[in-house]
Amino acid sequence: MWNFIRRRDPNIHFERLLKPLISHRHFRTRAVDRQNASPTGLYGFDHLKSPKGFQRFVDDAIERSGELVDYIAGMPSSAEIIRAMDEISDTVCSVVDSAELCRQTHPARGFVQEANKASMRINEYLHFLNTNHTLYNAVKKAEQDGHLLTEEAHRAALHLRIDFEKGGIHLPSGKLDRVNQLNLNALQLCREYGENIITDPGHVDIFPASCIPRQIQHLLKPIYRLKSGVSKDSLGSLDDEQAKGFQIITEPRTLFSVLQLTADDQIMGCKSYAEFVMKLNMASSPEVVISFLLEMSNMVKPSADKEFKTIRNLKRDVCGQRCVDLEPWDEPYYTAMIKSSAYNLDSSVVASYFSLPQCIEGLKLLVKSLFGANFDSIPMAPGESWHPDVLKMCLHHPEEGDLGYLYLDLYSRKGKYPGCATFAIKGGREISDTEYQLPVMALVFNFSRPHDSSTVRLNHGELETLFHEFGHALHALLSRTDYQHFSGTRVALDFAETPSNLFEYYARDYRVLRKFARHYSTGEVIPEKLVKSLNGARDMFAATELQRQIFYALVDQTLFGDRLPEPRDTCSIVAHLKRQHSNEKHVEGTHMQIRFSHFLTYGAGYYSYLYAKCFAATIWKKLCQEDPLSLATGTALRTKLLQHGGAKEPADLLTDLVGDGIIRYHNGGIVPDITSCLEEMKLSGERSLYY
């Protein structure tokens, strides 16, 4: 499944359902022969030697999947059904993931265009698989069979069946067709939304016109295009050959009018999209999430209020007026002033200790110390890379051999995905008793090259981001699941960010930083006093930042939750929640909600970042803090957490890792224990008021 972790698309259910089990006859990613590498295609796939190779990639994936569907139709043993389902997933997801990475990073327009075509075509095929009753019935048979030999196989059968049903396969044919069309429309609209955030054309075109409720069509601009399959040369009557649509201006009230009058949320039998998406999450229901968020909001409010007054008072002192208000754009300026005064930090001095090559050495240090493995650059075969700057790294254990491969695409360039993210290329899975398909991942960043061609140097926040994304990569590279359906980060959404948040701690600990953070010109080890200042400044106004994240999560739950008793536009919802759960003023005419991409990629799941923050704080305190770089710490992380991916229940993994005191059961769901998080933020005093 396409895994920029942050951006997992919850609408493409089959990618979770049949996570790639690619037929090694066609698709197996090769480890490059480091002595004599023969030419290959992008990411090691022979198909992708040219842009047109994506067409063959899709053709072969569909052909192989069809063979496996026929095999499953013969009702082999339950174990073989699950393994064949996983291979269908592997086959299809190899195309999906490769196309997504290519779309986001390849500098050649031809490759991007063909990747776009392949992405849409393979996703249409996914919906065919999602509605295949032969596969669904086979999975149900396997789930009911008591002869599945492993816990992971039973878990795979359960998840496959639920994912099928989340795709609507249990619905009557008319409703199922409607769900499939909505899923395809959602995929296209989500893609357009993401692109529009970057290019900002100001509108979205909707076809066909029937997608828009009649009572609001007069608000929208009608537009026309040629019907599918009609060429300009074959035009007859213009009215007969043109399809009508509507252009929606990306202004929140217009968008909300469309959403308020499009009653599609009941088809799946759920009260809301939030309820629908949480079926396999730890929280289990929106009610559990809302309760958790309100609890945290109440606890953080006293400290956030104090911080707000501190910032406001400084502005009043500077401006010489007692009645001046604090505006939202004031906060960064005055908090930076306070931090600078308290810790005398100079960003250029800080960055001088974090040259990018030294930071990569820091990643190697983590791997060596924690897991006894090496993380080294290896040569790529001709045609394997998509840009000269890309590196290929191998995670290698001296006793176990290669564990997986990681591409690093570190620098910004025109046309590239603008953020920082982890992309899956291949999930790990057991091919036979003697052969394991190694995971392949890509980390994409946008670090800026200096104009004077000197060494790239990171600020401390960028270092934390590097370690965060590397945590995602390690989750994938170190997992050893039987099925790629559970490989690495293919876990419950509200567990996925836990390893990445944990590895951010390593970017803040002086015992770690002193081993690789050296001045780019003198070689001086980073001073301990500077690290203490960095962490001290980071911890200032922590309650305000936590309050902001709670606010985002509440907006997310409200927009994707139950219908409100009275129709309200999204701006009034945001303003109302901001007044309740933030000290920041709402500025009329601003629309953060229409440029917040996490509402697509983590729709109804933004709370996962807060879950991860709490889980990571407890793991660090109970397991890592005493000796963060010990092999014993790394062994526990690997064997009790990372290697299992999604093959076990997250709550069981967390409890096995650190014992009691990391999770709480609440109203039928699971929430984090927040003690360690509050203590770390020096907010534990407020905790007693609510526990």
Side-chain angles (χ1 to χ4, degrees):
M1 106 188 168
W2 55 52
N3 232 359
F4 323 83
I5 273 291
R6 272 193 338 226
R7 335 122 308 280
R8 184 198 321 230
D9 187 339
N11 293 306
I12 309 306
H13 309 299
F14 203 80
E15 292 173 64
R16 299 194 59 203
L17 165 87
L18 298 179
K19 299 210 173 174
L21 209 199
I22 262 182
S23 163
H24 52 283
R25 291 187 308 163
H26 297 301
F27 301 105
R28 188 155 182 253
T29 301
R30 302 175 293 146
V32 174
D33 182 341
R34 303 181 193 181
Q35 302 300 318
N36 184 26
S38 58
T40 184
L42 283 176
Y43 326 126
F45 293 118
D46 286 335
H47 291 79
L48 302 183
K49 292 177 180 177
S50 69
K52 293 297 183 183
F54 270 108
Q55 295 180 15
R56 179 65 186 277
F57 205 17
V58 176
D59 290 341
D60 283 4
I62 292 174
E63 178 184 354
R64 177 56 180 161
S65 297
E67 294 172 358
L68 290 164
V69 170
D70 290 342
Y71 173 69
I72 293 171
M75 288 297 173
S77 70
S78 295
E80 288 303 313
I81 288 172
I82 299 304
R83 192 156 296 281
M85 290 287 289
D86 199 56
E87 183 170 349
I88 294 174
S89 176
D90 188 54
T91 303
V92 171
C93 287
S94 289
V95 180
V96 172
D97 293 336
S98 298
E100 185 63 18
L101 178 58
C102 183
R103 287 179 61 245
Q104 299 287 355
T105 64
H106 206 292
R109 184 167 178 80
F111 266 105
V112 173
Q113 289 175 333
E114 291 299 323
N116 273 319
K117 293 177 185 177
S119 178
M120 291 307 298
R121 187 174 164 215
I122 199 67
N123 276 294
E124 289 175 0
Y125 182 68
L126 281 172
H127 289 290
F128 159 75
L129 294 173
N130 276 338
T131 57
N132 189 302
H133 283 83
T134 297
L135 298 180
Y136 177 55
N137 291 333
V139 166
K140 288 200 298 182
K141 169 184 175 293
E143 183 185 10
Q144 295 163 4
D145 190 344
H147 295 91
L148 284 174
L149 298 180
T150 68
E151 177 187 344
E152 185 175 342
H154 280 285
R155 184 171 171 80
L158 169 66
H159 278 236
L160 288 167
R161 192 258 301 164
I162 291 175
D163 281 332
F164 263 121
E165 292 171 357
K166 288 176 74 175
I169 197 168
H170 59 298
L171 298 174
S173 59
K175 287 187 176 181
L176 179 56
D177 291 342
R178 177 66 173 146
V179 168
N180 286 334
Q181 188 59 53
L182 286 171
N183 279 330
L184 288 172
N185 291 347
L187 170 65
Q188 182 61 37
L189 288 171
C190 287
R191 179 168 294 175
E192 289 182 16
Y193 178 94
E195 292 171 353
N196 290 347
I197 288 178
I198 300 171
T199 61
D200 198 22
H203 65 267
V204 176
D205 296 337
I206 303 296
F207 288 92
S210 59
C211 291
I212 303 298
R214 286 187 176 277
Q215 57 265 52
I216 61 167
Q217 289 183 3
H218 68 282
L219 299 174
L220 308 176
K221 177 184 175 181
I223 52 176
Y224 301 88
R225 69 181 181 189
L226 292 178
K227 291 181 179 178
S228 178
V230 177
S231 67
K232 292 182 179 179
D233 295 334
S234 64
L235 282 177
S237 168
L238 191 61
D239 291 340
D240 292 338
E241 306 298 347
Q242 284 194 323
K244 181 180 179 181
F246 286 98
Q247 191 171 89
I248 301 178
I249 304 302
T250 51
E251 178 270 323
R253 286 176 175 78
T254 304
L255 290 172
F256 195 73
S257 296
V258 175
L259 294 174
Q260 279 288 293
L261 294 170
T262 306
D264 294 329
D265 58 324
Q266 301 299 321
I267 296 178
M268 297 302 300
C270 296
K271 292 185 294 184
S272 65
Y273 179 76
E275 180 182 302
F276 172 76
V277 82
M278 288 184 199
K279 287 186 176 180
L280 290 174
N281 287 2
M282 284 189 285
S284 79
S285 74
E287 291 76 20
V288 170
V289 173
I290 292 292
S291 175
F292 168 73
L293 294 175
L294 293 178
E295 176 189 34
M296 290 201 76
S297 181
N298 288 333
M299 278 188 285
V300 77
K301 189 177 189 306
S303 293
D305 288 347
K306 292 176 185 177
E307 293 175 358
F308 174 80
K309 291 176 182 176
T310 299
I311 303 169
R312 185 188 60 192
N313 290 342
L314 175 60
K315 180 182 179 181
R316 289 179 174 178
D317 290 344
V318 171
C319 296
Q321 300 177 39
R322 301 306 303 168
C323 60
V324 67
D325 287 333
L326 189 70
E327 303 295 343
W329 49 85
D330 290 329
E331 183 191 311
Y333 177 76
Y334 288 105
T335 55
M337 183 182 293
I338 295 170
K339 290 180 180 183
S340 177
S341 175
Y343 293 102
N344 193 29
L345 288 170
D346 184 322
S347 59
S348 63
V349 172
V350 173
S352 68
Y353 292 96
F354 297 134
S355 68
L356 186 53
Q358 284 302 118
C359 293
I360 300 300
E361 289 301 311
L363 303 183
K364 296 179 180 181
L365 166 73
L366 289 183
V367 166
K368 187 68 174 179
S369 301
L370 290 171
F371 311 117
N374 298 316
F375 183 61
D376 295 317
S377 176
I378 60 174
M380 284 182 277
E384 185 178 356
S385 179
W386 58 98
H387 192 275
D389 289 338
V390 173
L391 300 174
K392 184 177 183 180
M393 311 295 289
C394 175
L395 186 63
H396 178 86
H397 193 280
E399 297 175 1
E400 302 173 46
D402 290 357
L403 301 178
Y405 305 99
L406 180 67
Y407 296 101
L408 296 179
D409 188 349
L410 299 170
Y411 305 109
S412 63
R413 59 179 177 269
K414 185 178 180 180
K416 180 182 173 183
Y417 170 77
C420 303
T422 306
F423 290 77
I425 297 174
K426 177 67 63 182
R429 70 180 180 95
E430 185 180 274
I431 293 176
S432 69
D433 291 340
T434 59
E435 188 174 13
Y436 194 84
Q437 177 174 284
L438 297 180
V440 182
M441 305 291 288
L443 294 189
V444 175
F445 298 92
N446 276 274
F447 299 132
S448 299
R449 293 181 184 275
H451 295 299
D452 59 4
S453 300
S454 60
T455 302
V456 174
R457 298 189 285 276
L458 309 185
N459 60 46
H460 191 233
E462 289 173 324
L463 178 70
E464 287 184 312
T465 299
L466 177 66
F467 276 51
H468 176 102
E469 298 299 337
F470 192 58
H472 282 311
L474 287 175
H475 199 183
L477 298 177
L478 292 174
S479 80
R480 283 301 178 269
T481 56
D482 293 345
Y483 305 104
Q484 67 78 42
H485 188 79
F486 296 130
S487 178
T489 56
R490 291 161 180 175
V491 298
L493 185 60
D494 49 12
F495 177 60
E497 294 291 336
T498 298
S500 55
N501 271 260
L502 176 64
F503 275 88
E504 288 184 29
Y505 282 86
Y506 284 89
R508 306 170 199 149
D509 194 290
Y510 179 68
R511 293 166 294 178
V512 178
L513 293 175
R514 70 184 179 186
K515 292 182 178 293
F516 72 87
R518 298 176 180 274
H519 196 278
Y520 73 98
S521 63
T522 68
E524 175 198 12
V525 174
I526 189 169
E528 184 173 8
K529 181 180 179 181
L530 178 58
V531 175
K532 288 182 177 179
S533 294
L534 282 171
N535 289 329
R538 181 186 178 278
D539 291 341
M540 293 186 78
F541 307 107
T544 299
E545 179 54 34
L546 179 58
Q547 188 180 63
R548 180 178 294 112
Q549 295 302 313
I550 295 167
F551 160 68
Y552 290 153
L554 284 167
V555 171
D556 179 46
Q557 288 298 309
T558 303
L559 293 179
F560 289 101
D562 293 351
R563 282 179 179 268
L564 298 171
E566 298 179 3
R568 294 161 63 191
D569 63 78
T570 57
C571 287
S572 66
I573 291 172
V574 169
H576 173 70
L577 290 172
K578 187 171 286 188
R579 285 191 295 269
Q580 282 191 314
H581 302 284
S582 171
N583 288 306
E584 184 180 298
K585 289 171 59 177
H586 177 72
V587 180
E588 291 298 328
T590 59
H591 317 112
M592 60 78 61
Q593 69 277 15
I594 64 171
R595 299 192 69 85
F596 199 76
S597 61
H598 286 76
F599 289 160
L600 293 186
T601 57
Y602 263 38
Y606 193 81
Y607 74 93
S608 299
Y609 286 100
L610 292 167
Y611 265 44
K613 183 177 181 67
C614 295
F615 290 142
T618 304
I619 295 171
W620 179 259
K621 178 183 177 181
K622 292 193 172 189
L623 177 66
C624 306
Q625 190 171 48
E626 182 176 343
D627 193 355
L629 289 174
S630 72
L631 186 60
T633 297
T635 299
L637 287 174
R638 183 181 179 188
T639 60
K640 295 186 176 183
L641 183 72
L642 300 174
Q643 77 176 25
H644 299 291
K648 292 186 176 182
E649 288 290 343
D652 294 339
L653 294 176
L654 292 168
T655 302
D656 187 43
L657 182 65
V658 298
D660 296 334
I662 190 168
I663 63 171
R664 293 180 289 142
Y665 292 92
H666 175 71
N667 198 25
I670 294 171
V671 299
D673 186 288
I674 60 180
T675 305
S676 296
C677 180
L678 294 179
E679 289 176 351
E680 178 184 298
M681 299 175 66
K682 300 177 176 61
L683 300 176
S684 54
E686 279 79 16
R687 178 181 185 273
S688 61
L689 298 175
Y690 299 95
Y691 267 59

